[in-house]
Amino acid sequence: MTSQAADRPEPSGVTRRSKITPEREQEFYDAVLEQLRECGYDSVTMEGIAASTRCSKSTLYRQWKTKPQFVAAALRSHRRTRCIDTGSLADDLREAARAAGELSGRDTKLLQALVHAAPQDPELQRALREALIEPEIAALKEIIRRGVERGEVPADHPALEYVPAQMFGVLRIRPVLEGEYADPDYLVRFVEAAVLPALGLT
C-alpha cells in the first residue's frame, strides 16, 4: 500500500491545469470511484490511478492538487437527479425504493469506503453529501410534497420527516445485519411493510 504522503505532487507545474477531454476526465473519475469501492479510501493513491488509467502522476496533480480534491471531484461527477412521478405517493415510494435498490451495492460501497475519511476533510464530506445523500433526500421530499398536495397524507403527519431516515437506514444497515445489500425486491418489501403503514397508506 502506498501512503498518501509518498504520493505528494511533483514540484514543477503543479499550478498549471492540464488540457484533458471531458471523456478522459470521466475516465479518471470512474477509476477513482472503482478503486474506492474495491479497496477503500486509504488504498486509493494518485500513483495507483495513474497506473490504471495509463497517465503520468504529474498529469493528475496538475488537474487535482490532492487526493481529497480528486476524490471529491469524482464524487461530484457521480451526482445524479431522479424524477419519479407515478401520480400516487405509495407507488412513488415503491419506485424510489426500487431505484435505490438497483444502485445500493455501488453506492453503499462508496459510503462504506468514505465513512471514516469524510469527517476529516470538509470538502470530501460536502462532496459525499452532494453526490449520494442530498439528491436522494431531495427526491424523497419532492415525492412527499406532491403526496401532501394531492391530499394523500396530511402535511403534519408525524411519520413524514422520518421517511428519508427509514430509506437510508435500511440501505446502510442490511449489509451489517445480514451480509447482503438491500436490493430492489428487499427495499420495495420494506416500503410496503414499514413505510407505507407508518404513513397510513396501503
Side-chain angles (χ1 to χ4, degrees), residues 17-178:
R17 291 178 68 82
S18 60
K19 294 180 180 179
I20 60 176
T21 66
E23 293 77 16
R24 183 63 165 151
E25 185 174 59
Q26 191 60 52
E27 185 181 344
F28 293 143
Y29 291 151
D30 290 344
V32 171
L33 297 177
E34 188 59 29
Q35 288 198 22
L36 280 170
R37 294 185 186 103
E38 296 302 318
C39 308
Y41 181 81
D42 291 340
S43 296
V44 174
T45 64
M46 294 297 222
E47 184 178 47
I49 299 300
S52 68
T53 56
R54 299 180 181 177
C55 74
S56 69
K57 200 164 57 170
S58 60
T59 296
L60 299 182
Y61 276 119
R62 280 195 295 269
Q63 197 76 10
W64 305 279
K65 291 183 173 62
T66 67
K67 179 174 115 174
Q69 286 182 17
F70 195 7
V71 171
L75 285 168
R76 290 189 173 103
S77 78
H78 183 71
R79 182 186 175 112
R80 58 185 176 270
T81 57
R82 183 176 294 160
C83 181
I84 295 172
D85 188 358
T86 67
S88 158
L89 177 55
D91 286 341
D92 281 356
L93 290 171
R94 290 186 183 99
E95 286 303 310
R98 188 172 290 109
E102 288 170 355
L103 296 170
S104 66
R106 294 169 62 81
D107 285 356
T108 301
K109 283 182 179 180
L110 281 178
L111 286 167
Q112 290 170 337
L114 293 165
V115 68
H116 298 299
Q120 310 304 317
D121 187 281
E123 182 178 5
L124 195 58
Q125 191 167 38
R126 282 194 301 271
L128 180 61
R129 288 193 57 83
E130 289 171 7
L132 297 181
I133 299 172
E134 290 174 358
E136 302 299 327
I137 292 175
L140 286 171
K141 286 183 175 179
E142 177 62 16
I143 285 171
I144 290 169
R145 183 192 66 77
R146 290 196 305 265
V148 169
E149 285 188 350
R150 288 191 296 261
E152 296 175 79
V153 64
D156 61 351
H157 194 296
L160 286 178
E161 69 172 300
Y162 300 111
V163 172
Q166 285 180 295
M167 300 288 279
F168 273 98
V170 75
L171 280 167
R172 289 289 304 277
I173 203 62
R174 194 187 188 203
V176 176
L177 293 180
E178 301 180 17

